[in-house]
Amino acid sequence: MTFITFEGIEGSGKTTQIHLLMDWLHQRTDRALLTREPGGTSIGEQVRAILLNPINTEMTPEAEILLFSAARAQIVREVIRPRLADGWIVVCDRFADSTLAYQGYGHGLPLDDLLGITEFATGGLWPDLTVYLDLDVETGLRRKAATPEEWNRMEAKEVAFHKRVRQGYQALAAQNPQRWLVLDATQPVEVIQKQIRERVAAIVGGQ
Ligand code: TYD
């Protein structure tokens, strides 16, 4: 059982890298699952729609963290834990570290409170490996602007917010270097993927 998460600011190329990794994993095992946060369950997808709807401008940061955590509590118990218990490799597009980076460092909510809420939501589950695609904010937002249909409520926030999120990710990674694989997201796609596969192979090799 191996739990792998991907983190990064908007435009970091997370989705591309995750799909390349899943192609590779599926060639090696029929027990690899991709899921995403917020979402990944029926309840989670409904919560996601509330969170990302641009109409919800009045949403407070406190309401936001509780909605993210509600979706997380559901996916951990409905999907992630049962699959891990059955020996699957579970890959999640964002997880609890997104809350610490976005709601904590980004919005300035107290990290201790966020950790408490997150531990409650996850039941103490943390990833075995977190792949973090590090990128400067201007490049990330420029990449995203190329696909305006993906623009959503979260991405409309100011550049300064995203800069705090990036600093948050870097701080989290520095605190736990064994769990975090930090990669320069400006490298070519194949170069990044090769580094991810090497690390994942080292973890799941014996599985
Ligand atoms: P999504 O469209 O999935 O963005 P991406 O493709 O960048 O992953 O939207 C998820 C947004 O929600 C993204 O801006 C990050 C944010 N988010 C939080 O603020 N806190 C969280 O706990 C999670 C899981 C996501």
Side-chain angles (χ1 to χ4, degrees):
M1 58 175 249
T2 306
F3 183 32
I4 300 167
T5 60
F6 276 74
E7 298 286 351
I9 60 163
E10 338 302 308
S12 61
K14 224 164 23 77
T15 309
T16 304
Q17 294 297 337
I18 289 172
H19 284 107
L20 289 169
L21 178 65
M22 293 314 295
D23 289 346
W24 183 78
L25 283 173
H26 284 140
Q27 285 163 17
R28 278 155 188 79
T29 175
D30 52 7
R31 299 209 289 177
L33 177 77
L34 170 62
T35 186
R36 70 167 177 181
E37 276 224 353
T41 63
S42 169
I43 288 171
E45 291 295 335
Q46 293 172 66
V47 173
R48 179 187 180 88
I50 300 172
L51 279 164
L52 301 186
N53 190 334
I55 210 169
N56 290 330
T57 50
E58 75 275 29
M59 190 182 297
T60 66
E62 291 80 4
E64 190 176 279
I65 161 70
L66 292 171
L67 284 170
F68 278 121
S69 299
R72 184 165 303 136
Q74 190 67 30
I75 199 174
V76 164
R77 287 162 186 81
E78 191 181 319
V79 179
I80 300 176
R81 276 203 187 276
R83 292 297 180 110
L84 291 174
D86 277 351
W88 284 59
I89 299 166
V90 178
V91 178
C92 198
D93 185 351
R94 298 193 181 282
F95 192 63
D97 297 299
S98 280
T99 292
L100 300 177
Y102 282 80
Q103 279 67 49
Y105 290 89
H107 284 304
L109 292 184
L111 286 173
D112 285 352
D113 287 349
L114 294 182
L115 270 174
I117 293 167
T118 298
E119 289 273 342
F120 178 73
T122 63
L125 177 71
W126 287 94
D128 301 295
L129 170 66
T130 297
V131 178
Y132 167 52
L133 299 173
D134 185 53
L135 185 68
D136 70 274
V137 171
E138 285 82 2
T139 308
L141 292 179
R142 222 180 300 122
R143 282 188 189 174
K144 269 290 190 178
T147 55
E149 71 280 2
E150 287 184 35
W151 194 260
N152 61 34
R153 192 180 66 81
M154 307 300 300
E155 287 152 6
K157 297 214 174 85
E158 77 279 26
V159 169
F161 171 82
H162 287 98
K163 289 196 167 162
R164 292 195 298 275
V165 172
R166 182 190 187 199
Q167 285 161 3
Y169 274 132
Q170 291 173 336
L172 291 168
Q175 282 159 28
N176 200 343
Q178 291 90 345
R179 169 161 73 88
W180 288 72
L181 174 63
V182 180
L183 297 175
D184 173 359
T186 64
Q187 299 176 97
V189 170
E190 328 74 65
V191 175
I192 296 172
Q193 183 62 203
K194 183 165 178 284
Q195 296 167 82
I196 295 172
R197 288 180 184 179
E198 276 169 11
R199 176 63 82 87
V200 172
I203 295 177
V204 304
Q207 208 173 13

